Amino acid sequence: MPRTARDVVFVDGVRTPFGKAGPKGLYAETRADDLVVRAIRELMRRNPSLPPERVDEVAIAATTQTGDQGLTIGRAAAVLAGLPKSVPGYAIDRMCAGAMTAVTTTGAGIAFGAYDVAIAGGVEHMGRHPMGEGVDPNPRFLAERLVDPSALIMGATAENLHDRFPQITKERADAYAVRSQQKVAAAYAAGKIQPDLVPTAVRSAEKGWGLATEDEPPRPDTTMEGLAKLKTPFRVAGRVTAGNAAGLNDGATACLLAAEETARELGLTPRMRLVDYAFAGVEPEVMGVGPVPATEKLLARNSLTMDDIGLIEINEAFAVQVLAFLDHFKIADDDPRVNPWGGAIALGHPLASSGVRLMTQLSRLFQERTDVRYGLTTMCIGMGMGGTVLWENTNWEGAK
């Protein structure tokens, strides 16, 4: 039978507040799978017209798939969230772009007709499962010089980017980081971020039960003077610090995707439409430049330029990585299209979950910016990759 691709829409997205990884963090004694279950349950609660049995797939990403992030976490989370046993699920890994890939993979399945409705998201508990836990890199990587030795240390790859682009100074990276903190503080003050945060129960043997209602990582009092004093852990007299990079974090995200015709049938209100996506590889030792070729590929395939893009949500793994992207596309450091409500330097980056945070934030911005038709979500990915997704605003005033 001939098939016609269907339009795919992003209906809703939620996330737990992000916590700091470690023994004193919000989720130090909370399981990773419980975090993503909380997000899935909230998605279903917010969309009561969706019968649970109509969910065709649950794709959940985790970079470290072991312990409470293992057991085919998409299926495990679906069962724990109370979805019918008929709803399948699976785990997915593309390091930092895990949730992004969960969305593009299930979105492609919807477009193809294999699914009508899917839940996609990600979780990372970096306190329980530090980056690289249990990893055994093949010795050929170094013995055969397939990658530079710095490729497996993300902070070192950021220092390499500073080397490649000397115009991106530490001062410029620090200034970008200060703006990110300021934008998050302003967005919180205006109530922009809170609507998609899921209040999440936390347990402490010492303090008892509590409720996480806001992100733990932001440091609104960050200053240039303060950042200048921070250590450079990846290189003596380096440029990458804890202040101009995302921290180590715990958190989960989930979103609801559907065929546009199914959304109409079920009375679901789409926030944005999936147009296209692209992934690209780069040298692993400069993985932060990955969003550049991914975005170039995507724009070219859709006969668009950066001038056509009204909003850009880029993951702030490191300030230098964002600035390299902006320089390539001749975008000013303070361009209002870029992360209007701040980014991961302030909010945190629980690895595999972050892609859906970008999407949820973009979808909220679309609701306010009916003058904007197209937006991007983009991020760099460990081991030398980049991913970019192109979205169309379903509330775009030009379509009326």
Side-chain angles (χ1 to χ4, degrees), residues 177-256:
V178 169
R179 281 194 298 275
S180 182
Q181 295 283 356
Q182 292 171 342
K183 287 191 284 187
V184 165
Y188 255 106
K192 304 294 188 183
I193 292 174
Q194 295 92 324
D196 292 317
L197 297 182
V198 185
T200 302
V202 295
R203 177 78 173 90
S204 165
E206 179 183 348
K207 299 178 182 178
W209 288 97
L211 194 65
T213 58
E214 62 182 29
D215 296 303
E216 188 179 22
R219 300 182 299 276
D221 56 349
T222 298
T223 64
M224 289 291 289
E225 293 74 21
L227 294 184
K229 298 174 184 177
L230 295 180
K231 296 179 180 179
T232 58
F234 303 104
R235 186 182 294 181
V236 176
R239 292 143 296 191
V240 178
T241 72
N244 59 31
L248 305 179
N249 305 105
D250 308 328
T253 60
C255 71
L256 185 62

Side-chain angles (χ1 to χ4, degrees), residues 18-30:
F18 288 169
K20 295 180 181 178
K24 296 183 179 179
L26 271 177
Y27 303 120
E29 299 176 49
T30 302

